[in-house]
Amino acid sequence: MSDLVKEFNDYRSKMNEKLLADNNKVIKRIFNVDTNAYMEGALDVKTKELLGLVASAVLRCDDCIKYHLETAYKQGVTKEEIMESMGIATLVGGTIVIPHLRRAYEFWEALEESVQ
């Protein structure tokens, strides 16, 4: 696994464990809503992940972008689908999204390298 991907996943897992162990009802419920929102429904998981990716890019949340990239990758989303989605995000969010587009591209490459 790429160091970039491993570092992100290790930190995310460690901090999520700490947050959830603190036993805050509101935080636990938000995590639960998030988990359930991305489950199969009227929209398939792949589509929901791409929607999450676009929203995360427009909101400029690099952690969220990485999370949705990895989940989309695991769902079989292609690089072309990612780039088309990120194109929409850049169009909607404006040029301020370009630095996040760069980091997203780098993380996607790391995901691709992690299976080689």
Side-chain angles (χ1 to χ4, degrees):
M1 180 180 287
S2 161
D3 289 345
L4 185 62
V5 174
K6 182 175 180 351
E7 181 181 307
F8 171 72
N9 285 327
D10 288 349
Y11 177 77
R12 185 176 178 277
S13 293
K14 178 180 90 173
M15 293 312 298
N16 282 352
E17 277 183 39
K18 287 183 176 192
L19 289 167
L20 293 172
D22 202 38
N23 210 24
N24 180 292
K25 188 187 300 186
V26 173
I27 290 173
K28 283 187 171 188
R29 286 184 176 171
I30 290 169
F31 272 61
N32 185 288
V33 167
D34 182 72
T35 297
N36 285 303
Y38 286 94
M39 294 177 125
E40 190 85 22
L43 296 174
D44 61 13
V45 174
K46 177 179 164 180
T47 301
K48 288 182 176 188
E49 288 303 328
L50 291 172
L51 289 169
L53 174 63
V54 169
S56 298
V58 170
L59 292 169
R60 302 185 306 272
C61 177
D62 283 334
D63 279 9
C64 300
I65 291 168
K66 289 175 182 175
Y67 173 79
H68 290 295
L69 283 171
E70 185 167 10
T71 306
Y73 186 83
K74 290 176 180 175
Q75 289 293 316
V77 174
T78 66
K79 184 177 187 178
E80 291 77 18
E81 290 169 316
I82 290 296
M83 291 309 297
E84 193 166 317
S85 298
M86 290 301 292
I88 297 296
T90 306
L91 173 68
V92 172
T95 57
I96 197 165
V97 174
I98 291 173
H100 304 278
L101 173 62
R102 289 183 193 116
R103 289 188 288 275
Y105 196 91
E106 176 186 30
F107 195 77
W108 186 263
E109 286 183 327
L111 288 167
E112 290 178 324
E113 290 170 8
S114 68
V115 296
Q116 294 176 358

